[in-house]
Amino acid sequence: DIQMTQSPSSLSASVGDRVTITCRASQGISNYLAWFQQKPGKAPKSLIYAASSLQSGVPSKFSGSRSGTDFTLTISSLQPEDFATYYCQQYNSYPLTFGGGTKVEIK
Amino acid sequence: EVQLLESGGGLVQPGGSLRLSCTASGFTFGSYPMNWVRQAPGKGLEWVSGISSRASNTYYADSVKGRFTISRDNSKNTLYLQMNSLTAEDTAVYYCAKYRERWEPSEFDYWGQGTLVTVSS
């Protein structure tokens, strides 16, 4: 199985900050990497697919990138509605696997 | 508008069974593979099972293989998850999720709101 290691597990940031979350795959997954946002008590929301493509309706302050087996989600200017938990997920092969999540909290 | 509505969750005793349903609307259900993903209380996301658009292929996480069965009825726009031999470790919110593409695996684009399954005596 492909392991997805996400870091950090949590971070504190202020409104307006630039935030970066990293996800490392245990083996090559090409660009088959997605990012999700989840708020408490709500279903996950799809943000990014194919490492860097935005899902329809997702604001451009979210961006994704890839370097080998390392993937990054960046929020360019954190807003109050962005405080949530973020997950990466590989869909290169079954079983699909998720990172452990990064909780973004208000500083 | 794409909508996925799960149902069938509830309280079940260890060793018991439960069948979840996910009713879809707003897209051609029979053209897309579908999945179940779960989240234990306070924990992260765990993929559970997937099924191709015409149910010819099914996929399972090792943690549920042999106990859970995924199926679909394209005439009813409904996805199912039959869960047998349930244990406390199966306690979670179960989400259905749609693939963005018509092949599998691909990326998820829409998720249901989830249904809570609690396994306890």
Side-chain angles (χ1 to χ4, degrees):
Chain A
D1 298 1
I2 299 173
Q3 309 304 315
M4 305 302 295
T5 303
Q6 195 172 333
S7 61
S9 57
S10 66
L11 65 90
S12 295
S14 301
V15 172
D17 284 353
R18 180 183 180 90
V19 168
T20 298
I21 299 168
T22 298
C23 190
R24 173 170 290 174
S26 62
Q27 63 189 75
I29 59 169
S30 187
N31 281 344
Y32 299 123
L33 190 283
W35 290 97
F36 303 95
Q37 176 193 65
Q38 188 178 35
K39 297 181 179 179
K42 300 295 187 182
K45 175 187 175 183
S46 301
L47 295 177
I48 287 173
Y49 65 97
S52 61
S53 297
L54 259 59
Q55 290 278 4
S56 176
V58 173
S60 59
K61 61 181 172 181
F62 292 97
S63 63
S65 65
R66 170 200 172 193
S67 176
T69 58
D70 291 340
F71 299 83
T72 300
L73 172 70
T74 299
I75 309 172
S76 60
S77 178
L78 204 63
Q79 296 303 304
E81 64 270 20
D82 303 327
F83 290 94
T85 300
Y86 294 84
Y87 294 92
C88 62
Q89 179 231 345
Q90 68 81 19
Y91 54 95
N92 178 78
S93 61
Y94 289 108
L96 310 182
T97 47
F98 291 87
T102 297
K103 187 174 184 179
V104 177
E105 299 176 301
I106 301 173
K107 183 183 286 185
Chain B
E1 178 191 6
V2 171
Q3 290 193 340
L4 300 171
L5 186 62
E6 301 94 337
S7 61
L11 177 64
V12 60
Q13 291 189 338
S17 298
L18 211 57
R19 188 177 84 156
L20 305 182
S21 299
C22 170
T23 303
S25 62
F27 66 102
T28 307
F29 178 74
S31 295
Y32 291 88
M34 297 291 294
N35 293 266
W36 289 98
V37 176
R38 69 184 180 183
Q39 186 170 36
K43 302 297 185 183
L45 299 169
E46 178 189 18
W47 173 80
V48 172
S49 183
I51 187 168
S52 60
S53 59
R54 299 193 178 192
S56 52
N57 296 316
T58 58
Y59 310 90
Y60 298 94
D62 285 345
S63 58
V64 306
K65 200 171 295 182
R67 300 187 300 121
F68 289 12
T69 302
I70 191 172
S71 62
R72 63 191 298 160
D73 186 337
N74 289 344
S75 69
K76 295 182 178 179
N77 287 356
T78 303
L79 173 72
Y80 301 103
L81 185 68
Q82 177 67 44
M83 304 186 295
N84 299 331
S85 302
L86 286 162
T87 73
E89 287 66 45
D90 297 314
T91 294
V93 174
Y94 285 74
Y95 298 100
C96 62
K98 169 188 171 292
Y99 277 149
R100 183 174 175 274
E101 304 290 356
R102 300 186 181 205
W103 56 82
E104 76 272 0
S106 84
E107 61 274 10
F108 297 149
D109 57 357
Y110 290 96
W111 299 64
Q113 87 292 344
T115 187
L116 175 63
V117 172
T118 303
V119 183
S120 175
S121 56

